Amino acid sequence: MRDKTAGLLEILKLQPVVPVLVIDQVEHAVPLARALVKGGLKAIEITLRTPVALDAIRAVANEVEGAVPGAGTVLNKQDYNKAEDAGSQFIVSPGATLELLEAARKSKVPMLPGAATPSEVMSLREEGYDVMKFFPAEQAGGASYLKSLSSPLAGTLFCPTGGVSPENAKDYLSLPNVVCVGGSWVAPKDLVAAGDWDGITRLAEEACKLAR
């Protein structure tokens, strides 16, 4: 577990913002990932919310140099195994179930499980997790809530996702218990639909500047 945590942290520390992507057309996956990597965002979370998500992960893993593709919205053992087979280097879930934790134990690919309450964090710590996704960040209490967890739950690091934007990202990134944030604003649907990859690269570059 220690090696998996170290590997996950190595990925999350690549950049201050991990793009959270919903890809509707598989042909967008490679140019989108290339645009993000060019802008400095190498770790890329592709959510399993569309029928082409696994194919998109596979394409990015095979064709985009420098990209570190991960799978998001992983809800069960089947999702986990399929995402790993597609080439995911990290797994992200909005929560954690016994089935999902068992799949993670059997896999070499590290998981970033979601938690929103002290009890959820404590339960995951008992399973050996020190790095978690704080989700849904804004709706669950925002940066001030997460800051209040830093002392009683010292030693736990978070990647807040959900409602994080350029306007509030620094509020999270300034916290001692935040390693990075997850955000969808670096790949807005209108730019993706228009194939404006240069525009997405500029957004990625701006996101990199949010680093502390």
Side-chain angles (χ1 to χ4, degrees), residues 3-210:
D3 290 342
K4 287 184 186 178
T5 300
L8 179 61
L9 278 174
E10 186 176 335
I11 292 170
L12 297 180
K13 288 181 177 179
L14 287 171
Q15 61 218 41
V17 180
V18 175
V20 179
L21 309 180
V22 178
I23 296 179
D24 294 305
Q25 299 181 49
V26 71
E27 56 267 26
H28 288 158
V30 168
L32 173 55
R34 284 177 177 156
L36 292 167
V37 170
K38 184 179 179 181
L41 303 183
K42 297 180 179 180
I44 300 167
E45 177 187 337
I46 298 174
T47 60
L48 302 189
R49 301 181 193 176
T50 68
V52 303
L54 291 169
D55 288 333
I57 292 169
R58 188 173 292 106
V60 172
N62 292 334
E63 300 179 40
V64 184
E65 184 177 355
V68 182
T73 321
V74 174
L75 304 179
N76 52 53
K77 177 176 65 176
Q78 291 76 18
D79 286 347
Y80 205 115
N81 294 337
K82 289 178 182 178
E84 181 177 2
D85 290 342
S88 298
Q89 295 186 39
F90 63 103
I91 300 291
V92 185
S93 176
T97 65
L98 293 176
E99 179 187 271
L100 200 57
L101 291 170
E102 179 64 20
R105 273 193 291 271
K106 293 180 178 179
S107 173
K108 295 180 181 179
V109 179
M111 180 172 72
L112 180 69
T117 68
S119 293
E120 290 172 348
V121 173
M122 291 166 65
S123 294
L124 284 168
R125 284 172 61 119
E126 288 182 355
E127 295 289 333
Y129 288 90
D130 298 320
V131 187
M132 305 171 199
K133 170 181 177 176
F134 175 53
F135 177 83
E138 281 293 285
Q139 295 82 354
S144 60
Y145 174 88
L146 195 54
K147 182 180 180 180
S148 71
L149 299 182
S150 60
S151 291
L153 297 172
T156 308
L157 292 174
F158 296 93
C159 172
T161 304
V164 181
S165 68
E167 290 72 34
N168 62 23
K170 281 195 172 183
D171 294 337
Y172 289 102
L173 291 169
S174 66
L175 300 179
N177 56 344
V178 169
V179 62
C180 64
V181 299
S184 59
W185 79 86
V186 292
K189 286 189 175 183
D190 58 338
L191 295 190
V192 174
D196 187 356
W197 312 124
D198 288 339
I200 288 172
T201 293
R202 285 193 293 272
L203 290 175
E205 291 170 343
E206 291 171 6
C208 285
K209 295 175 183 177
L210 293 171

